[in-house]
Amino acid sequence: MSNEKGWGMRAFDWFEERLPIVSFIDHSVGSKYPAPNNLNYFWNFGSLAGFMLVVLMMTGIVLAMSYTPHVDHAFESVERIMRDVNSGWLIRYLHANGGSFFFIVVLIHIFRGMYYGSYKAPREVLWWLGIVIYLLMMATAFMGYVLPWGQMSFWGATVITNLFSAVPIVGDEIVTLLWGGFSVDNPTLNRFFALHYLLPFAIVGVVVLHIWALHIPGSNNPMGIEVTANDKIPFHPYYTSKDVFGLGVFLLFYFTVVFWFPNAMGHPDNYIPANPLQTPAHIVPEWYFLPFYAILRSIDDKLTGVILMFGSILILFVVPWLDTSRVRSANFRPIFKVLFWIFLLDCFVLGWCGSQLPEGLPLILTRVGTFWYFFHFLVLLPVVGWIETPRPLPSSISTPVIASPAE
Amino acid sequence: MRTVLFAAFAVILLNELPADVKAASEGVELDHQEWTFDGPFGGFDRQQLQRGFQVYREVCSSCHGLDYIAFRNLEAIGYSEDQTKVLASEYLIEDCCDDQGDIFDRPAIPADGIPNPYPNEQFARASNNGSLPPDLSLITKARANGPDYIYNLILAYEDPPADMEEEIMFGMYYNTVFDGNQIAMAQQLFDELIEYSDGTVATNEQMAKDVTAFLHWAAEPKLEVRKQTGVRVLLFTLVFTVLAYFLKRRIWAGLKH
């Protein structure tokens, strides 16, 4: 039969025998990856996150060609990109807003995982790798925001790096190491630039592991049940076509912001060059840090605040064991479903609190919100898993349960 | 499910978009102006930008720099290349170095930046009672609700209320918009202070509006090309998305459910 193949196919086979990279990709995100046939649009956000990572890296590399990581030139070089570099304004607005949209997409991806119990066995390591990506993203985004060397860049960097001084005994040494000196200055900017360029490649590495870990058990699905081979369809062309459509919808939102509201997610103060002698009236981080900023300020003691803030993310690592229910999807868990939406609301409340001065009503809400955040994970998740009676699970995707438990 | 997805997006966007509106609530109510650059298709009015430049040049530029604008950039507001050459040549700038290695003065050329009124920050502060007049290149982006804020601020001079008169410090002026109500800049605009070359009557409001529009151009010179590009990009994406939707439907139609 092989002599009936055209020369192109033969060349392809020759290459495949030596490096089977095409079939590797086909097995990863192509026709050889069987996915559940009932994935809804919330399953689009994984590939969207991958897309945004690529957009950010490509625009970032181009920006780095015209950016100068020096305290005397950084702000001006960004303005030169905006004014004198061909389409520089477009590249920078795509990059700056791209960071925000990357977070929007990844946060929806994370909440999707929480709602449908995607972190439960056998996907714990997949979930861990996701949290590692999220942490790396936050570090990268924070350092990226410092690069334009505006007022918020400088003072944000000062506030956040100073957090590490709360670490007992070695705190000050850590801060000196982060700064590369004794204040936020040129060495800080230089190392942040180097790391901001490096970390995305580290993220790519963890993304590869994340996809690898995904392929061991395969995708979870809205019913959260094990999927039989009958109820699976190849990722390509079914989910590739669905992802492309989802990408189009996503781009409509992304481009609307980039072309009409490019500064809406930034802070006006970052168009003022950094001035170490003048503190802005109100230092606020980027929106995606606001809930954590609120948790940090929920308590007067610095070390406790820092522990709570890092704890609020690190706690995600043990969520697979804190959640004692074996039923994955919230669709079959009446109590958990309500708690999920309350938790989401709590995150929005904390986000709003983070943008306010910590006094009066915002401070009260911050404390209630912080309490609820940890209460949700540490108490409600385990207890609800024990006391809740889940709705009966269908035996497979194609045979839904018709009888209700009351009958 | 699609509706939920859209709703989620909408909620997030709505939550983020009013970022620049937020700060306005912290201070006084700003009197919103109709700007030619508002809206999805809004752009600049070249006549207005030129009048605004005239206000900047004859009033603001005695204290405020415009560091990121070069004379050549003024072609974008409707001046010809020759006009920018003439304009530039009216300024003398310091250059280094002549054949003897000395610093010398020469007329500016279009590639030169608009000269800053002060050689350095200390000089600027010494000349202004300790205050530093900010560079205006990015001023409308560096303040919440920038254009409305600047417009309102430069018109917001009035006599201080009786209970505040005592508090006004030496060399400071009462301003209802500025944070703290004391500003180091005295009122600069007075009716018919300048004579517009296009014959427009230079009322306070007219000058304030023109110079603000000019400063917004200086802060966001690519605003027009940005919106024009956006319209084309969005139309393309819309068609792409609709096609992708039908492609997806067609592929999924073969599945038995």
Side-chain angles (χ1 to χ4, degrees):
Chain A
M1 291 295 276
S2 65
N3 54 0
E4 286 172 25
K5 285 184 177 174
W7 65 269
M9 240 3 242
R10 290 207 306 276
F12 176 75
D13 288 347
W14 179 90
F15 190 81
E16 269 289 296
E17 272 172 35
R18 284 149 184 84
L19 181 69
I21 189 169
V22 175
S23 54
F24 175 74
I25 292 170
D26 196 36
H27 276 97
S28 302
V29 287
S31 61
K32 297 290 177 346
Y33 174 46
N37 63 9
N38 64 338
L39 301 186
N40 60 34
Y41 275 99
F42 281 106
W43 263 262
N44 278 49
F45 288 87
S47 71
L48 282 180
F51 173 82
M52 279 318 296
L53 179 60
V54 173
V55 167
L56 285 166
M57 290 177 76
M58 282 167 47
T59 51
I61 288 168
V62 176
L63 286 173
M65 293 174 187
S66 301
Y67 169 76
T68 312
H70 187 285
V71 291
D72 293 338
H73 305 290
F75 189 90
E76 188 184 350
S77 73
V78 171
E79 274 311 307
R80 288 291 151 228
I81 289 170
M82 292 297 289
R83 292 157 192 271
D84 291 340
V85 173
N86 290 335
S87 300
W89 59 270
L90 175 59
I91 303 291
R92 172 163 177 259
Y93 279 155
L94 281 172
H95 192 78
N97 290 291
S100 282
F101 275 87
F102 193 17
F103 272 97
I104 291 173
V105 165
V106 163
L107 288 169
I108 295 175
H109 189 63
I110 294 173
F111 281 114
R112 192 286 318 265
M114 287 184 176
Y115 184 87
Y116 293 111
S118 300
Y119 46 79
K120 293 183 190 181
R123 296 186 182 81
E124 300 94 327
V125 174
L126 172 61
W127 174 255
W128 282 353
L129 290 164
I131 304 164
V132 172
I133 294 171
Y134 185 44
L135 284 168
L136 285 171
M137 276 174 66
M138 291 203 273
T140 311
F142 162 65
M143 288 188 278
Y145 195 60
V146 175
L147 301 185
W149 211 243
Q151 274 288 69
M152 276 302 159
S153 299
F154 180 88
W155 290 99
T158 305
V159 169
I160 301 299
T161 50
N162 259 313
L163 294 181
F164 291 89
S165 70
V167 177
I169 305 167
V170 289
D172 288 335
E173 276 70 23
I174 294 176
V175 176
T176 306
L177 195 68
L178 287 172
W179 286 342
F182 301 101
S183 64
V184 175
D185 208 333
N186 200 46
T188 323
L189 179 58
N190 269 285
R191 59 192 55 203
F192 279 19
F193 179 56
L195 293 173
H196 182 70
Y197 204 120
L198 169 74
L199 286 185
F201 294 92
I203 293 178
V204 170
V206 185
V207 166
V208 170
L209 295 179
H210 191 65
I211 295 174
W212 186 5
L214 168 69
H215 282 73
I216 306 304
S219 299
N220 186 27
N221 68 87
M223 289 187 179
I225 54 175
E226 299 305 322
V227 185
T228 57
N230 277 345
D231 292 327
K232 286 192 175 179
I233 50 176
F235 192 84
H236 178 74
Y238 293 105
Y239 287 110
T240 41
S241 65
K242 194 171 179 175
D243 279 354
V244 167
F245 167 60
L247 174 66
V249 174
F250 166 77
L251 287 178
L252 291 173
F253 288 95
Y254 179 34
F255 288 148
T256 301
V257 171
V258 165
F259 289 103
W260 283 278
F261 308 98
N263 294 306
M265 300 201 209
H267 195 289
D269 275 19
N270 227 29
Y271 280 110
I272 303 170
N275 183 351
L277 300 176
Q278 190 184 18
T279 318
H282 190 179
I283 301 174
V284 279
E286 289 277 80
W287 67 266
Y288 36 81
F289 292 129
L290 289 175
F292 306 107
Y293 195 52
I295 292 173
L296 170 75
R297 299 187 304 176
S298 65
I299 207 147
D300 280 332
D301 183 61
K302 188 173 173 182
L303 180 59
T304 315
V306 171
I307 291 172
L308 285 180
M309 185 184 73
F310 284 107
S312 67
I313 299 163
L314 297 179
I315 200 170
L316 296 174
F317 280 104
V318 289
V319 162
W321 295 275
L322 289 173
D323 187 344
T324 50
S325 170
R326 276 197 226 154
V327 176
R328 294 198 190 95
S329 173
N331 285 346
F332 299 98
R333 300 185 58 193
I335 304 178
F336 173 78
K337 190 174 184 172
V338 175
L339 292 178
F340 170 84
W341 291 109
I342 295 175
F343 177 72
L344 185 65
L345 178 73
D346 187 44
C347 292
F348 276 100
V349 169
L350 282 172
W352 176 78
C353 291
S355 71
Q356 305 295 311
L357 288 171
E359 56 192 23
L361 179 68
L363 183 59
I364 295 166
L365 279 177
T366 299
R367 289 181 171 163
V368 174
T370 304
F371 167 76
W372 188 266
Y373 187 98
F374 288 99
F375 184 65
H376 174 87
F377 284 123
L378 294 173
V379 177
L380 293 178
L381 271 190
V383 170
V384 168
W386 290 320
I387 63 169
E388 183 182 49
T389 313
R391 290 172 48 208
L393 290 173
S395 57
S396 79
I397 291 175
S398 47
T399 55
V401 173
I402 294 160
S404 77
E407 290 174 38
Chain B
M1 187 48 73
R2 218 168 299 144
T3 340
V4 175
L5 191 70
F6 286 162
F9 258 130
V11 165
I12 289 159
L13 280 179
L14 285 176
N15 196 39
E16 300 314 325
L17 289 183
D20 52 352
V21 182
K22 256 182 247 158
S25 60
E26 291 165 10
V28 285
E29 282 287 312
L30 296 178
D31 182 14
H32 177 69
Q33 294 298 299
E34 301 245 320
W35 300 102
T36 59
F37 45 79
D38 282 343
F41 307 103
F44 295 115
D45 169 359
R46 297 287 177 287
Q47 280 302 117
Q48 182 176 45
L49 295 186
Q50 292 189 14
R51 289 198 300 272
F53 175 59
Q54 194 183 340
V55 177
Y56 167 76
R57 201 173 160 219
E58 295 181 22
V59 185
C60 319
S61 73
S62 52
C63 297
H64 293 280
L66 203 59
D67 284 354
Y68 297 121
I69 300 295
F71 292 104
R72 67 182 163 86
N73 295 132
L74 296 173
E75 280 183 50
I77 65 169
Y79 292 107
S80 70
E81 194 182 340
D82 287 335
Q83 281 173 309
T84 65
K85 277 182 188 164
V86 173
L87 207 62
S89 67
E90 291 169 17
Y91 292 81
L92 268 188
I93 62 165
E94 241 177 33
D95 202 351
C96 179
C97 302
D98 65 12
D99 294 343
Q100 308 302 313
D102 292 324
I103 291 169
F104 68 105
D105 287 336
R106 62 163 174 82
I109 59 171
D112 287 314
I114 292 178
N116 196 291
Y118 305 110
N120 52 55
E121 184 184 329
Q122 291 85 336
F123 194 103
R125 285 189 187 277
S127 319
N128 289 284
N129 208 14
S131 297
L132 178 69
D135 185 84
L136 296 184
S137 311
L138 282 163
I139 201 77
T140 63
K141 277 159 77 175
R143 299 290 182 276
N145 287 321
D148 284 330
Y149 174 79
I150 299 298
Y151 173 85
N152 281 269
L153 178 102
I154 50 187
L155 292 175
Y157 290 90
E158 54 185 64
D159 290 330
D163 59 326
M164 250 203 92
E165 245 169 84
E166 297 282 301
E167 291 172 35
I168 306 280
M169 290 180 288
F170 175 74
M172 300 296 269
Y173 304 87
Y174 182 71
N175 184 295
T176 54
V177 169
F178 195 70
D179 191 26
N181 297 124
Q182 296 192 49
I183 188 169
M185 175 174 75
Q187 180 173 357
Q188 296 299 323
L189 297 181
F190 300 92
D191 284 331
E192 301 191 45
L193 174 70
I194 66 171
E195 199 172 319
Y196 277 133
S197 46
D198 68 356
T200 306
V201 181
T203 60
N204 262 352
E205 288 77 14
Q206 183 69 42
M207 287 186 288
K209 196 152 184 186
D210 291 345
V211 78
T212 304
F214 169 73
L215 291 176
H216 195 56
W217 166 80
E220 190 73 3
K222 309 292 181 177
L223 178 142
E224 289 174 329
V225 66
R226 188 183 80 218
K227 289 181 182 176
Q228 287 156 8
T229 313
V231 170
R232 278 180 285 163
V233 168
L234 217 57
L235 283 176
F236 178 90
T237 312
L238 203 60
V239 173
F240 171 86
T241 308
V242 170
L243 290 177
Y245 174 69
F246 286 112
L247 176 71
K248 184 253 163 191
R249 274 218 345 193
R250 194 160 161 176
I251 288 171
W252 281 71
L255 269 188
K256 284 191 290 276
H257 274 292

